[in-house]
Amino acid sequence: MDTALTSCGRPATVHIELPPGARAAGHARRTAARALSLEPGLCPGSVAEDLVLIVSELVTNAVTHAKGPYALTVSVESGRVGIAVSDGSADLPGRQDAPAETAESGRGLKIVRALGADLFVSSGDSGKQVIAVLTWDPARSG
């Protein structure tokens, strides 16, 4: 898998192709942690934990509900992180009924929003990207 890493005072950015199936979410979590390690001062620990959870939820949704290929892009800068998960399906995520209290799935996007991320979807001929943007005040994250 090719990985592009960029840093030098600009956003620390990682882009990777993800494996299909159950391995994708774990691979994505490790990649997100690696992106944070490029510039450790950019993102406080509590935000980093949220970031890894958001990555996991978005990738799991893609693998569960869309066809591949899958890719992850994480871009971190002071006060903001952008996460984009690409898949090979142009079908947009639909609004589903709230899951039953005992359900073991169906809460992914709700969790992402509860963590404070703004969600966007961009679709094209070859698939879509689900994008989450998480922001914080870098002056208060000391």
Coordinates of all heavy atoms in Angstrom, one line a residue, residues 6-13 39 42 76-77:
T6 N 3.0 14.1 4.6 CA 3.5 15.4 4.4 C 3.4 16.1 5.7 O 2.5 16.1 6.4 CB 2.5 16.2 3.4 OG1 2.3 15.4 2.2 CG2 3.1 17.5 3.0
S7 N 4.5 16.9 6.0 CA 4.6 17.7 7.1 C 5.6 18.8 6.9 O 6.3 18.7 5.9 CB 4.9 16.9 8.4 OG 4.8 17.7 9.5
C8 N 5.8 19.7 7.7 CA 6.7 20.8 7.6 C 6.0 22.1 7.8 O 6.1 23.1 7.0 CB 7.4 20.9 6.2 SG 8.5 19.5 5.8
G9 N 5.3 22.2 8.9 CA 4.6 23.5 9.3 C 3.3 23.6 8.6 O 2.5 24.5 8.9
R10 N 3.0 22.8 7.6 CA 1.7 22.7 7.0 C 0.9 21.6 7.7 O 1.5 20.9 8.5 CB 1.9 22.4 5.5 CG 2.4 23.6 4.8 CD 2.8 23.2 3.4 NE 4.2 22.9 3.5 CZ 4.9 22.3 2.6 NH1 4.4 22.0 1.5 NH2 6.2 22.0 2.8
P11 N -0.3 21.4 7.3 CA -1.0 20.3 7.9 C -0.3 18.9 7.7 O 0.3 18.7 6.6 CB -2.4 20.2 7.1 CG -2.5 21.6 6.6 CD -1.1 22.1 6.3
A12 N -0.3 18.1 8.7 CA 0.3 16.8 8.6 C -0.8 15.9 7.9 O -1.9 15.8 8.5 CB 0.6 16.2 10.0
T13 N -0.5 15.4 6.8 CA -1.5 14.7 6.0 C -1.0 13.2 5.7 O 0.1 13.0 5.3 CB -1.8 15.4 4.7 OG1 -2.2 16.7 5.0 CG2 -2.8 14.7 3.8
E39 N 3.2 15.4 14.0 CA 3.3 16.7 14.6 C 2.6 16.6 16.0 O 1.4 17.0 16.1 CB 2.6 17.7 13.7 CG 3.3 18.0 12.4 CD 4.5 18.8 12.5 OE1 4.8 19.4 13.6 OE2 5.3 18.9 11.5
L42 N 0.3 19.3 17.6 CA -0.9 19.9 16.8 C -2.2 19.5 17.5 O -3.2 20.2 17.3 CB -0.9 19.4 15.4 CG 0.2 20.0 14.5 CD1 0.0 19.4 13.1 CD2 0.1 21.5 14.4
V76 N -4.2 16.9 9.6 CA -4.2 17.6 11.0 C -3.4 18.9 11.0 O -2.3 18.9 10.5 CB -3.5 16.6 12.0 CG1 -3.7 17.2 13.4 CG2 -4.2 15.2 12.0
E77 N -4.0 19.9 11.5 CA -3.3 21.2 11.7 C -3.8 21.7 13.0 O -4.7 21.2 13.6 CB -3.6 22.1 10.5 CG -5.0 22.5 10.3 CD -5.2 23.4 9.1 OE1 -4.7 24.5 9.1 OE2 -5.8 22.9 8.1

